[in-house]
PDB file of all heavy atoms in Angstrom:
ATOM      1  N   ALA V 499     -16.374  -3.226  -9.535  1.00  0.00           N
ATOM      2  CA  ALA V 499     -16.330  -1.852  -8.937  1.00  0.00           C
ATOM      3  C   ALA V 499     -16.532  -1.863  -7.379  1.00  0.00           C
ATOM      4  O   ALA V 499     -15.963  -1.073  -6.641  1.00  0.00           O
ATOM      5  CB  ALA V 499     -17.613  -1.092  -9.564  1.00  0.00           C
ATOM      6  N   GLY V 500     -17.298  -2.840  -6.892  1.00  0.00           N
ATOM      7  CA  GLY V 500     -17.465  -2.971  -5.422  1.00  0.00           C
ATOM      8  C   GLY V 500     -16.227  -3.470  -4.777  1.00  0.00           C
ATOM      9  O   GLY V 500     -15.892  -2.909  -3.718  1.00  0.00           O
ATOM     10  N   LEU V 501     -15.521  -4.421  -5.408  1.00  0.00           N
ATOM     11  CA  LEU V 501     -14.276  -4.786  -4.765  1.00  0.00           C
ATOM     12  C   LEU V 501     -13.291  -3.615  -4.714  1.00  0.00           C
ATOM     13  O   LEU V 501     -12.676  -3.425  -3.556  1.00  0.00           O
ATOM     14  CB  LEU V 501     -13.649  -5.936  -5.529  1.00  0.00           C
ATOM     15  CG  LEU V 501     -14.470  -7.212  -5.666  1.00  0.00           C
ATOM     16  CD1 LEU V 501     -13.873  -8.226  -6.779  1.00  0.00           C
ATOM     17  CD2 LEU V 501     -14.466  -7.877  -4.286  1.00  0.00           C
ATOM     18  N   ALA V 502     -13.150  -2.949  -5.761  1.00  0.00           N
ATOM     19  CA  ALA V 502     -12.210  -1.814  -5.755  1.00  0.00           C
ATOM     20  C   ALA V 502     -12.595  -0.724  -4.683  1.00  0.00           C
ATOM     21  O   ALA V 502     -11.794  -0.174  -4.081  1.00  0.00           O
ATOM     22  CB  ALA V 502     -12.100  -1.149  -7.159  1.00  0.00           C
ATOM     23  N   ALA V 503     -13.849  -0.476  -4.679  1.00  0.00           N
ATOM     24  CA  ALA V 503     -14.349   0.502  -3.679  1.00  0.00           C
ATOM     25  C   ALA V 503     -14.054   0.139  -2.276  1.00  0.00           C
ATOM     26  O   ALA V 503     -13.638   0.887  -1.402  1.00  0.00           O
ATOM     27  CB  ALA V 503     -15.908   0.687  -3.890  1.00  0.00           C
ATOM     28  N   ILE V 504     -14.293  -1.259  -1.891  1.00  0.00           N
ATOM     29  CA  ILE V 504     -14.043  -1.702  -0.482  1.00  0.00           C
ATOM     30  C   ILE V 504     -12.507  -1.676  -0.133  1.00  0.00           C
ATOM     31  O   ILE V 504     -12.030  -1.268   0.960  1.00  0.00           O
ATOM     32  CB  ILE V 504     -14.637  -3.020  -0.259  1.00  0.00           C
ATOM     33  CG1 ILE V 504     -16.223  -2.867  -0.409  1.00  0.00           C
ATOM     34  CG2 ILE V 504     -14.259  -3.558   1.173  1.00  0.00           C
ATOM     35  CD1 ILE V 504     -16.981  -4.273  -0.451  1.00  0.00           C
ATOM     36  N   GLN V 505     -11.774  -2.036  -1.190  1.00  0.00           N
ATOM     37  CA  GLN V 505     -10.338  -1.936  -1.075  1.00  0.00           C
ATOM     38  C   GLN V 505      -9.835  -0.533  -0.734  1.00  0.00           C
ATOM     39  O   GLN V 505      -9.077  -0.354   0.133  1.00  0.00           O
ATOM     40  CB  GLN V 505      -9.612  -2.550  -2.226  1.00  0.00           C
ATOM     41  CG  GLN V 505      -9.739  -4.068  -2.306  1.00  0.00           C
ATOM     42  CD  GLN V 505      -9.202  -4.538  -3.687  1.00  0.00           C
ATOM     43  OE1 GLN V 505      -9.423  -3.914  -4.718  1.00  0.00           O
ATOM     44  NE2 GLN V 505      -8.709  -5.790  -3.742  1.00  0.00           N
ATOM     45  N   LYS V 506     -10.455   0.378  -1.442  1.00  0.00           N
ATOM     46  CA  LYS V 506     -10.084   1.749  -1.359  1.00  0.00           C
ATOM     47  C   LYS V 506     -10.615   2.303   0.168  1.00  0.00           C
ATOM     48  O   LYS V 506      -9.779   3.056   0.844  1.00  0.00           O
ATOM     49  CB  LYS V 506     -10.741   2.638  -2.351  1.00  0.00           C
ATOM     50  CG  LYS V 506     -10.189   4.207  -2.399  1.00  0.00           C
ATOM     51  CD  LYS V 506     -10.830   4.930  -3.510  1.00  0.00           C
ATOM     52  CE  LYS V 506     -10.333   6.297  -3.650  1.00  0.00           C
ATOM     53  NZ  LYS V 506     -11.013   7.150  -2.681  1.00  0.00           N
ATOM     54  N   LEU V 507     -11.655   1.841   0.522  1.00  0.00           N
ATOM     55  CA  LEU V 507     -12.220   2.308   1.854  1.00  0.00           C
ATOM     56  C   LEU V 507     -11.239   1.690   2.898  1.00  0.00           C
ATOM     57  O   LEU V 507     -11.023   2.323   4.023  1.00  0.00           O
ATOM     58  CB  LEU V 507     -13.610   1.674   2.080  1.00  0.00           C
ATOM     59  CG  LEU V 507     -14.754   2.370   1.230  1.00  0.00           C
ATOM     60  CD1 LEU V 507     -16.044   1.606   1.505  1.00  0.00           C
ATOM     61  CD2 LEU V 507     -14.975   3.802   1.730  1.00  0.00           C
ATOM     62  N   GLY V 508     -10.834   0.490   2.714  1.00  0.00           N
ATOM     63  CA  GLY V 508      -9.851  -0.106   3.684  1.00  0.00           C
ATOM     64  C   GLY V 508      -8.562   0.709   3.845  1.00  0.00           C
ATOM     65  O   GLY V 508      -8.063   0.992   4.904  1.00  0.00           O
ATOM     66  N   ARG V 509      -8.026   1.013   2.693  1.00  0.00           N
ATOM     67  CA  ARG V 509      -6.753   1.819   2.607  1.00  0.00           C
ATOM     68  C   ARG V 509      -6.855   3.202   3.387  1.00  0.00           C
ATOM     69  O   ARG V 509      -5.993   3.651   4.098  1.00  0.00           O
ATOM     70  CB  ARG V 509      -6.258   2.015   1.243  1.00  0.00           C
ATOM     71  CG  ARG V 509      -5.745   0.788   0.575  1.00  0.00           C
ATOM     72  CD  ARG V 509      -5.001   1.169  -0.691  1.00  0.00           C
ATOM     73  NE  ARG V 509      -5.808   1.834  -1.611  1.00  0.00           N
ATOM     74  CZ  ARG V 509      -6.518   1.281  -2.569  1.00  0.00           C
ATOM     75  NH1 ARG V 509      -6.609  -0.067  -2.646  1.00  0.00           N
ATOM     76  NH2 ARG V 509      -7.254   1.930  -3.565  1.00  0.00           N
ATOM     77  N   GLU V 510      -8.085   3.783   3.167  1.00  0.00           N
ATOM     78  CA  GLU V 510      -8.318   5.090   3.686  1.00  0.00           C
ATOM     79  C   GLU V 510      -8.789   5.221   5.125  1.00  0.00           C
ATOM     80  O   GLU V 510      -8.766   6.169   5.745  1.00  0.00           O
ATOM     81  CB  GLU V 510      -9.269   5.848   2.839  1.00  0.00           C
ATOM     82  CG  GLU V 510      -8.718   6.179   1.437  1.00  0.00           C
ATOM     83  CD  GLU V 510      -9.824   6.740   0.486  1.00  0.00           C
ATOM     84  OE1 GLU V 510     -11.013   6.793   0.916  1.00  0.00           O
ATOM     85  OE2 GLU V 510      -9.453   7.217  -0.580  1.00  0.00           O
ATOM     86  N   ASN V 511      -9.228   3.995   5.645  1.00  0.00           N
ATOM     87  CA  ASN V 511      -9.824   3.993   6.953  1.00  0.00           C
ATOM     88  C   ASN V 511      -9.327   2.921   7.969  1.00  0.00           C
ATOM     89  O   ASN V 511      -9.960   2.586   8.893  1.00  0.00           O
ATOM     90  CB  ASN V 511     -11.325   3.733   6.760  1.00  0.00           C
ATOM     91  CG  ASN V 511     -12.118   4.924   6.025  1.00  0.00           C
ATOM     92  OD1 ASN V 511     -12.407   5.934   6.689  1.00  0.00           O
ATOM     93  ND2 ASN V 511     -12.131   4.759   4.771  1.00  0.00           N
ATOM     94  N   GLY V 512      -8.140   2.426   7.612  1.00  0.00           N
ATOM     95  CA  GLY V 512      -7.466   1.639   8.619  1.00  0.00           C
ATOM     96  C   GLY V 512      -7.976   0.169   8.746  1.00  0.00           C
ATOM     97  O   GLY V 512      -7.850  -0.364   9.862  1.00  0.00           O
ATOM     98  N   PHE V 513      -8.377  -0.558   7.727  1.00  0.00           N
ATOM     99  CA  PHE V 513      -8.593  -1.949   7.870  1.00  0.00           C
ATOM    100  C   PHE V 513      -8.143  -2.669   6.612  1.00  0.00           C
ATOM    101  O   PHE V 513      -8.129  -2.123   5.382  1.00  0.00           O
ATOM    102  CB  PHE V 513     -10.057  -2.322   8.064  1.00  0.00           C
ATOM    103  CG  PHE V 513     -11.030  -1.798   7.132  1.00  0.00           C
ATOM    104  CD1 PHE V 513     -11.420  -2.448   5.991  1.00  0.00           C
ATOM    105  CD2 PHE V 513     -11.618  -0.482   7.308  1.00  0.00           C
ATOM    106  CE1 PHE V 513     -12.342  -2.053   5.109  1.00  0.00           C
ATOM    107  CE2 PHE V 513     -12.560  -0.121   6.432  1.00  0.00           C
ATOM    108  CZ  PHE V 513     -12.965  -0.791   5.262  1.00  0.00           C
ATOM    109  N   GLY V 514      -7.605  -3.927   6.697  1.00  0.00           N
ATOM    110  CA  GLY V 514      -7.132  -4.578   5.601  1.00  0.00           C
ATOM    111  C   GLY V 514      -8.217  -5.233   4.868  1.00  0.00           C
ATOM    112  O   GLY V 514      -9.300  -5.521   5.526  1.00  0.00           O
ATOM    113  N   VAL V 515      -8.000  -5.550   3.514  1.00  0.00           N
ATOM    114  CA  VAL V 515      -9.086  -6.112   2.612  1.00  0.00           C
ATOM    115  C   VAL V 515      -8.499  -7.235   1.854  1.00  0.00           C
ATOM    116  O   VAL V 515      -7.579  -7.055   1.142  1.00  0.00           O
ATOM    117  CB  VAL V 515      -9.746  -5.129   1.822  1.00  0.00           C
ATOM    118  CG1 VAL V 515     -10.834  -5.746   0.916  1.00  0.00           C
ATOM    119  CG2 VAL V 515     -10.370  -3.956   2.659  1.00  0.00           C
ATOM    120  N   ASP V 516      -8.999  -8.460   2.013  1.00  0.00           N
ATOM    121  CA  ASP V 516      -8.745  -9.494   1.174  1.00  0.00           C
ATOM    122  C   ASP V 516      -9.987  -9.896   0.320  1.00  0.00           C
ATOM    123  O   ASP V 516     -11.058  -9.649   0.849  1.00  0.00           O
ATOM    124  CB  ASP V 516      -8.216 -10.819   1.965  1.00  0.00           C
ATOM    125  CG  ASP V 516      -6.822 -10.692   2.546  1.00  0.00           C
ATOM    126  OD1 ASP V 516      -6.108  -9.703   2.041  1.00  0.00           O
ATOM    127  OD2 ASP V 516      -6.518 -11.368   3.403  1.00  0.00           O
ATOM    128  N   THR V 517      -9.846 -10.419  -0.906  1.00  0.00           N
ATOM    129  CA  THR V 517     -11.029 -10.660  -1.715  1.00  0.00           C
ATOM    130  C   THR V 517     -10.876 -12.093  -2.258  1.00  0.00           C
ATOM    131  O   THR V 517      -9.798 -12.545  -2.572  1.00  0.00           O
ATOM    132  CB  THR V 517     -11.133  -9.646  -2.899  1.00  0.00           C
ATOM    133  OG1 THR V 517     -10.072  -9.843  -3.823  1.00  0.00           O
ATOM    134  CG2 THR V 517     -11.181  -8.233  -2.293  1.00  0.00           C
ATOM    135  N   THR V 518     -11.960 -12.746  -2.272  1.00  0.00           N
ATOM    136  CA  THR V 518     -11.963 -14.174  -2.979  1.00  0.00           C
ATOM    137  C   THR V 518     -13.314 -14.584  -3.416  1.00  0.00           C
ATOM    138  O   THR V 518     -14.384 -14.079  -2.870  1.00  0.00           O
ATOM    139  CB  THR V 518     -11.416 -15.213  -1.941  1.00  0.00           C
ATOM    140  OG1 THR V 518     -11.201 -16.449  -2.659  1.00  0.00           O
ATOM    141  CG2 THR V 518     -12.421 -15.281  -0.863  1.00  0.00           C
ATOM    142  N   LYS V 519     -13.353 -15.370  -4.466  1.00  0.00           N
ATOM    143  CA  LYS V 519     -14.623 -16.013  -4.863  1.00  0.00           C
ATOM    144  C   LYS V 519     -14.543 -17.517  -4.607  1.00  0.00           C
ATOM    145  O   LYS V 519     -15.399 -18.298  -4.991  1.00  0.00           O
ATOM    146  CB  LYS V 519     -14.992 -15.747  -6.335  1.00  0.00           C
ATOM    147  CG  LYS V 519     -13.864 -16.142  -7.320  1.00  0.00           C
ATOM    148  CD  LYS V 519     -14.377 -15.836  -8.712  1.00  0.00           C
ATOM    149  CE  LYS V 519     -13.291 -16.254  -9.809  1.00  0.00           C
ATOM    150  NZ  LYS V 519     -13.709 -15.889 -11.153  1.00  0.00           N
ATOM    151  N   ASN V 520     -13.424 -18.018  -3.890  1.00  0.00           N
ATOM    152  CA  ASN V 520     -13.162 -19.324  -3.599  1.00  0.00           C
ATOM    153  C   ASN V 520     -13.702 -19.667  -2.175  1.00  0.00           C
ATOM    154  O   ASN V 520     -13.199 -19.248  -1.273  1.00  0.00           O
ATOM    155  CB  ASN V 520     -11.703 -19.722  -3.763  1.00  0.00           C
ATOM    156  CG  ASN V 520     -11.415 -21.113  -3.542  1.00  0.00           C
ATOM    157  OD1 ASN V 520     -12.230 -21.942  -3.331  1.00  0.00           O
ATOM    158  ND2 ASN V 520     -10.158 -21.390  -3.603  1.00  0.00           N
ATOM    159  N   ALA V 521     -14.728 -20.435  -2.181  1.00  0.00           N
ATOM    160  CA  ALA V 521     -15.379 -20.836  -0.876  1.00  0.00           C
ATOM    161  C   ALA V 521     -14.490 -21.677  -0.061  1.00  0.00           C
ATOM    162  O   ALA V 521     -14.822 -21.867   1.213  1.00  0.00           O
ATOM    163  CB  ALA V 521     -16.709 -21.493  -1.050  1.00  0.00           C
ATOM    164  N   GLU V 522     -13.382 -22.263  -0.636  1.00  0.00           N
ATOM    165  CA  GLU V 522     -12.506 -23.171   0.221  1.00  0.00           C
ATOM    166  C   GLU V 522     -11.831 -22.382   1.335  1.00  0.00           C
ATOM    167  O   GLU V 522     -11.329 -23.025   2.310  1.00  0.00           O
ATOM    168  CB  GLU V 522     -11.564 -23.884  -0.706  1.00  0.00           C
ATOM    169  CG  GLU V 522     -12.232 -24.856  -1.567  1.00  0.00           C
ATOM    170  CD  GLU V 522     -11.166 -25.609  -2.527  1.00  0.00           C
ATOM    171  OE1 GLU V 522      -9.937 -25.348  -2.327  1.00  0.00           O
ATOM    172  OE2 GLU V 522     -11.646 -26.346  -3.405  1.00  0.00           O
ATOM    173  N   ILE V 523     -11.850 -21.085   1.260  1.00  0.00           N
ATOM    174  CA  ILE V 523     -11.233 -20.280   2.374  1.00  0.00           C
ATOM    175  C   ILE V 523     -12.061 -20.361   3.649  1.00  0.00           C
ATOM    176  O   ILE V 523     -11.467 -20.030   4.748  1.00  0.00           O
ATOM    177  CB  ILE V 523     -11.017 -18.774   1.779  1.00  0.00           C
ATOM    178  CG1 ILE V 523     -10.017 -18.108   2.744  1.00  0.00           C
ATOM    179  CG2 ILE V 523     -12.344 -18.046   2.007  1.00  0.00           C
ATOM    180  CD1 ILE V 523      -9.631 -16.812   2.313  1.00  0.00           C
ATOM    181  N   PHE V 524     -13.216 -20.851   3.537  1.00  0.00           N
ATOM    182  CA  PHE V 524     -14.137 -20.955   4.766  1.00  0.00           C
ATOM    183  C   PHE V 524     -13.790 -22.202   5.543  1.00  0.00           C
ATOM    184  O   PHE V 524     -14.521 -23.120   5.618  1.00  0.00           O
ATOM    185  CB  PHE V 524     -15.643 -20.829   4.371  1.00  0.00           C
ATOM    186  CG  PHE V 524     -16.052 -19.486   3.914  1.00  0.00           C
ATOM    187  CD1 PHE V 524     -15.990 -18.952   2.653  1.00  0.00           C
ATOM    188  CD2 PHE V 524     -16.611 -18.498   4.912  1.00  0.00           C
ATOM    189  CE1 PHE V 524     -16.242 -17.754   2.408  1.00  0.00           C
ATOM    190  CE2 PHE V 524     -17.027 -17.279   4.551  1.00  0.00           C
ATOM    191  CZ  PHE V 524     -16.720 -16.784   3.272  1.00  0.00           C
ATOM    192  N   THR V 525     -12.722 -22.142   6.295  1.00  0.00           N
ATOM    193  CA  THR V 525     -12.312 -23.049   7.185  1.00  0.00           C
ATOM    194  C   THR V 525     -12.027 -22.228   8.563  1.00  0.00           C
ATOM    195  O   THR V 525     -11.754 -21.068   8.587  1.00  0.00           O
ATOM    196  CB  THR V 525     -10.983 -23.808   6.842  1.00  0.00           C
ATOM    197  OG1 THR V 525      -9.907 -22.829   6.797  1.00  0.00           O
ATOM    198  CG2 THR V 525     -11.148 -24.482   5.480  1.00  0.00           C
ATOM    199  N   SER V 526     -12.103 -22.974   9.678  1.00  0.00           N
ATOM    200  CA  SER V 526     -11.874 -22.305  11.063  1.00  0.00           C
ATOM    201  C   SER V 526     -10.507 -21.646  10.981  1.00  0.00           C
ATOM    202  O   SER V 526     -10.404 -20.546  11.464  1.00  0.00           O
ATOM    203  CB  SER V 526     -12.042 -23.323  12.140  1.00  0.00           C
ATOM    204  OG  SER V 526     -13.347 -23.776  12.234  1.00  0.00           O
ATOM    205  N   ASP V 527      -9.453 -22.285  10.519  1.00  0.00           N
ATOM    206  CA  ASP V 527      -8.169 -21.705  10.510  1.00  0.00           C
ATOM    207  C   ASP V 527      -7.966 -20.469   9.667  1.00  0.00           C
ATOM    208  O   ASP V 527      -7.430 -19.494  10.095  1.00  0.00           O
ATOM    209  CB  ASP V 527      -7.085 -22.747  10.103  1.00  0.00           C
ATOM    210  CG  ASP V 527      -6.900 -23.803  11.286  1.00  0.00           C
ATOM    211  OD1 ASP V 527      -7.213 -23.592  12.424  1.00  0.00           O
ATOM    212  OD2 ASP V 527      -6.377 -24.877  10.890  1.00  0.00           O
ATOM    213  N   SER V 528      -8.623 -20.592   8.453  1.00  0.00           N
ATOM    214  CA  SER V 528      -8.431 -19.478   7.497  1.00  0.00           C
ATOM    215  C   SER V 528      -9.242 -18.219   8.051  1.00  0.00           C
ATOM    216  O   SER V 528      -8.766 -17.082   7.755  1.00  0.00           O
ATOM    217  CB  SER V 528      -8.892 -19.788   6.151  1.00  0.00           C
ATOM    218  OG  SER V 528      -8.046 -20.821   5.615  1.00  0.00           O
ATOM    219  N   LEU V 529     -10.317 -18.425   8.593  1.00  0.00           N
ATOM    220  CA  LEU V 529     -11.257 -17.392   9.023  1.00  0.00           C
ATOM    221  C   LEU V 529     -10.581 -16.621  10.282  1.00  0.00           C
ATOM    222  O   LEU V 529     -11.022 -15.453  10.549  1.00  0.00           O
ATOM    223  CB  LEU V 529     -12.585 -17.824   9.260  1.00  0.00           C
ATOM    224  CG  LEU V 529     -13.443 -18.164   7.995  1.00  0.00           C
ATOM    225  CD1 LEU V 529     -14.714 -18.773   8.470  1.00  0.00           C
ATOM    226  CD2 LEU V 529     -13.520 -16.993   7.049  1.00  0.00           C
ATOM    227  N   LYS V 530      -9.695 -17.181  10.948  1.00  0.00           N
ATOM    228  CA  LYS V 530      -9.080 -16.576  12.208  1.00  0.00           C
ATOM    229  C   LYS V 530      -8.432 -15.370  11.963  1.00  0.00           C
ATOM    230  O   LYS V 530      -8.441 -14.438  12.860  1.00  0.00           O
ATOM    231  CB  LYS V 530      -8.241 -17.580  12.881  1.00  0.00           C
ATOM    232  CG  LYS V 530      -8.744 -18.634  13.650  1.00  0.00           C
ATOM    233  CD  LYS V 530      -7.774 -19.620  14.163  1.00  0.00           C
ATOM    234  CE  LYS V 530      -8.357 -20.830  14.917  1.00  0.00           C
ATOM    235  NZ  LYS V 530      -7.297 -21.788  15.429  1.00  0.00           N
ATOM    236  N   LYS V 531      -8.070 -15.020  10.731  1.00  0.00           N
ATOM    237  CA  LYS V 531      -7.283 -13.770  10.440  1.00  0.00           C
ATOM    238  C   LYS V 531      -8.121 -12.623  10.174  1.00  0.00           C
ATOM    239  O   LYS V 531      -7.697 -11.500  10.055  1.00  0.00           O
ATOM    240  CB  LYS V 531      -6.319 -13.972   9.360  1.00  0.00           C
ATOM    241  CG  LYS V 531      -6.899 -14.235   7.939  1.00  0.00           C
ATOM    242  CD  LYS V 531      -5.839 -14.444   6.830  1.00  0.00           C
ATOM    243  CE  LYS V 531      -5.252 -13.194   6.556  1.00  0.00           C
ATOM    244  NZ  LYS V 531      -4.355 -13.264   5.438  1.00  0.00           N
ATOM    245  N   TYR V 532      -9.538 -12.848  10.131  1.00  0.00           N
ATOM    246  CA  TYR V 532     -10.505 -11.767   9.766  1.00  0.00           C
ATOM    247  C   TYR V 532     -11.405 -11.529  10.902  1.00  0.00           C
ATOM    248  O   TYR V 532     -11.771 -12.231  11.707  1.00  0.00           O
ATOM    249  CB  TYR V 532     -11.265 -12.239   8.569  1.00  0.00           C
ATOM    250  CG  TYR V 532     -10.509 -12.575   7.318  1.00  0.00           C
ATOM    251  CD1 TYR V 532     -10.402 -13.937   6.979  1.00  0.00           C
ATOM    252  CD2 TYR V 532      -9.921 -11.528   6.715  1.00  0.00           C
ATOM    253  CE1 TYR V 532      -9.427 -14.238   5.805  1.00  0.00           C
ATOM    254  CE2 TYR V 532      -9.040 -11.883   5.549  1.00  0.00           C
ATOM    255  CZ  TYR V 532      -8.876 -13.099   5.205  1.00  0.00           C
ATOM    256  OH  TYR V 532      -8.029 -13.458   4.146  1.00  0.00           O
ATOM    257  N   LYS V 533     -11.717 -10.150  11.042  1.00  0.00           N
ATOM    258  CA  LYS V 533     -12.656  -9.688  11.922  1.00  0.00           C
ATOM    259  C   LYS V 533     -14.102  -9.752  11.462  1.00  0.00           C
ATOM    260  O   LYS V 533     -15.066  -9.786  12.120  1.00  0.00           O
ATOM    261  CB  LYS V 533     -12.339  -8.221  12.428  1.00  0.00           C
ATOM    262  CG  LYS V 533     -13.143  -7.547  13.352  1.00  0.00           C
ATOM    263  CD  LYS V 533     -12.958  -8.053  14.742  1.00  0.00           C
ATOM    264  CE  LYS V 533     -13.752  -7.218  15.706  1.00  0.00           C
ATOM    265  NZ  LYS V 533     -13.719  -7.918  17.108  1.00  0.00           N
ATOM    266  N   ALA V 534     -14.188  -9.620  10.046  1.00  0.00           N
ATOM    267  CA  ALA V 534     -15.486  -9.630   9.407  1.00  0.00           C
ATOM    268  C   ALA V 534     -15.463 -10.190   8.008  1.00  0.00           C
ATOM    269  O   ALA V 534     -14.294 -10.201   7.414  1.00  0.00           O
ATOM    270  CB  ALA V 534     -16.093  -8.204   9.414  1.00  0.00           C
ATOM    271  N   VAL V 535     -16.547 -10.628   7.521  1.00  0.00           N
ATOM    272  CA  VAL V 535     -16.666 -11.102   6.107  1.00  0.00           C
ATOM    273  C   VAL V 535     -17.795 -10.333   5.467  1.00  0.00           C
ATOM    274  O   VAL V 535     -18.829 -10.129   5.965  1.00  0.00           O
ATOM    275  CB  VAL V 535     -17.027 -12.601   6.119  1.00  0.00           C
ATOM    276  CG1 VAL V 535     -17.186 -13.100   4.645  1.00  0.00           C
ATOM    277  CG2 VAL V 535     -15.863 -13.312   6.748  1.00  0.00           C
ATOM    278  N   VAL V 536     -17.474  -9.790   4.255  1.00  0.00           N
ATOM    279  CA  VAL V 536     -18.575  -9.097   3.416  1.00  0.00           C
ATOM    280  C   VAL V 536     -18.870 -10.042   2.309  1.00  0.00           C
ATOM    281  O   VAL V 536     -18.101 -10.581   1.528  1.00  0.00           O
ATOM    282  CB  VAL V 536     -17.937  -7.938   2.858  1.00  0.00           C
ATOM    283  CG1 VAL V 536     -18.843  -7.119   1.941  1.00  0.00           C
ATOM    284  CG2 VAL V 536     -17.337  -6.943   3.806  1.00  0.00           C
TER     285      VAL V 536
END
């Protein structure tokens, strides 16, 4: 429910939302595309 809500907030308020439970995304290169992490 939280994932769906944040995705909807993004669509309605002008920010992109990616979701993952895979910690391997936490590399310097992968994080460059994001402004924030939730």
Side-chain angles (χ1 to χ4, degrees):
L501 292 173
I504 296 171
Q505 288 170 326
K506 186 172 185 289
L507 290 175
R509 289 193 301 270
E510 294 176 348
N511 294 277
F513 57 90
V515 178
D516 289 342
T517 67
T518 189
K519 60 180 178 180
N520 184 357
E522 291 181 6
I523 199 170
F524 284 86
T525 67
S526 295
D527 286 342
S528 295
L529 291 175
K530 284 179 182 177
K531 66 181 290 189
Y532 301 107
K533 181 71 173 173
V535 177
V536 179

